[in-house]
Amino acid sequence: MTAYGDTSGDVRGKLRAVLAAIDRADPELCAFLDVWHEDALARLPAASRLPLAGLPFAVKGRTGIRSYAARRLIAAGGVPVGSASVPGPGTVWQTWGLGAHGRTVNPWRPDRTPGGSSAGSAAAVAAGLVPLATGSDGAGSVRIPAAWCGVFGLKTTNGLLPSPDRSGLASAGVLAASAVEAETYLRCVLDDYAPATPSLPLSAVYSPDLGFAETEPEVAAVVRGAVRRLEAAGVVRLAGGGCALLDPAAAWQAVRGGNVAPPEAEVREENGRRLDALFARTPLLLTPVTPNRPHGHEGPGDTFSTALTWAFNLSGHPAASVPAGFTADGCPVGLQLVADRGRDAGLLGAAGAVERALWTPGEPFAQVRGPRG
């Protein structure tokens, strides 16, 4: 389990440095709604004697501190330092995060959105302010900001962890600097977590569009290039057959609205059958996370950034976003990994192997491109 520090070190000094870094960066980044200086320092003496030894983390939105995941992290010695931004009233399509100082910006391209709705969680991790942050994912709300901010994101199997979403679409998740940091989260929130070391090469199916999405050519090229590198490194072996699903947009909207007619129910059931058949023959599905790059704060226009993510909220499969590279204009692109239901530990193990193949061990993704801005 990742430990923030040990009791022999200056744990208080490290936490103060984290809080000071947030204070310096957040007027421009706008990743936080609240920063809990006094409360975080007050928690530290007890936390420093527990396994996480005062590991600082952020929670999604002001209600995130009450989430099951946050409570488990605190019980293991994590220290919540603040609530991360989410879309504010009336801002859903204008900006996907509204912090205390204004709209949340993408640390790589301040003129672009960080994605959402776990906007502040992704931005805070990408800026190096915290090693992990909680999130929730009802249509891609962990994976999209993870992809667009160049960090790791995991949506757990639907129903694996408690969720207040009555539709059943939303699942708890985490945004982290790497799959290794994300494992800290799973170790804390799952009582029976056991790491799964992948046997390489992993058989995988790759689809640039799931059979219906209009993926930007440059986004598809970045992800396909990452997949080729994984093949060359012996991490994956592509199986034939691809993956063609029915467009789940209407079905997702019907489920969210609580009024599912037979046509939408059939789309959901048919996609479930196709995914069951796929995972019966191969353990891993690879796609871009989004069909588009991060858009401006004015909104995405007619494009559904969720086109490649919300099928797995309907089906319940765990899915992760791993940094795949950059477009020519400096926007991060994410590679989506999807596994069978309940295979969260195996998915995390596969994501770790993917990360090690795509980036030099120990080299943060941020260093690949150099300074942000």
Side-chain angles (χ1 to χ4, degrees), residues 6 32 43 46 84 99 120 147 174 200 205 227 240 254 271 290-291 296 342:
D6 56 54
F32 285 89
R43 291 180 185 272
V174 63
L200 304 181
V205 166
V227 172
N271 279 351
T290 63

Side-chain angles (χ1 to χ4, degrees), residues 241-285:
C243 179
L245 302 180
L246 303 176
D247 188 343
W252 186 94
Q253 291 164 347
V255 172
R256 174 61 75 188
N259 185 21
V260 183
E264 288 81 26
E266 176 55 32
V267 167
R268 187 180 193 181
E269 292 168 5
E270 177 59 25
N271 279 351
R273 287 190 288 268
R274 295 183 188 189
L275 288 169
D276 286 345
L278 185 149
F279 289 116
R281 61 186 175 87
T282 189
L284 198 61
L285 170 62

Side-chain angles (χ1 to χ4, degrees), residues 138 158 163-170 252 254-258 268 313-314:
N158 291 40
S163 170
D165 179 28
R166 294 183 179 180
S167 74
L169 293 171
W252 186 94
V255 172
R256 174 61 75 188
R268 187 180 193 181
N313 297 91
L314 280 167

Side-chain angles (χ1 to χ4, degrees), residues 143-160:
R143 289 162 287 164
I144 293 170
W148 287 358
C149 289
V151 299
F152 178 81
L154 173 69
K155 178 196 92 69
T156 56
T157 297
N158 291 40
L160 182 68

Side-chain angles (χ1 to χ4, degrees), residues 92-164:
V92 175
W93 292 112
Q94 284 70 49
T95 180
W96 283 349
L98 189 62
H101 303 285
R103 68 186 185 190
T104 309
V105 302
N106 190 310
W108 295 96
R109 286 284 306 265
D111 62 324
R112 306 294 176 92
T113 175
S117 61
S118 304
S121 291
V125 172
L129 300 177
V130 290
L132 63 84
T134 66
S136 59
D137 190 316
S141 293
V142 164
R143 289 162 287 164
I144 293 170
W148 287 358
C149 289
V151 299
F152 178 81
L154 173 69
K155 178 196 92 69
T156 56
T157 297
N158 291 40
L160 182 68
L161 297 170
S163 170

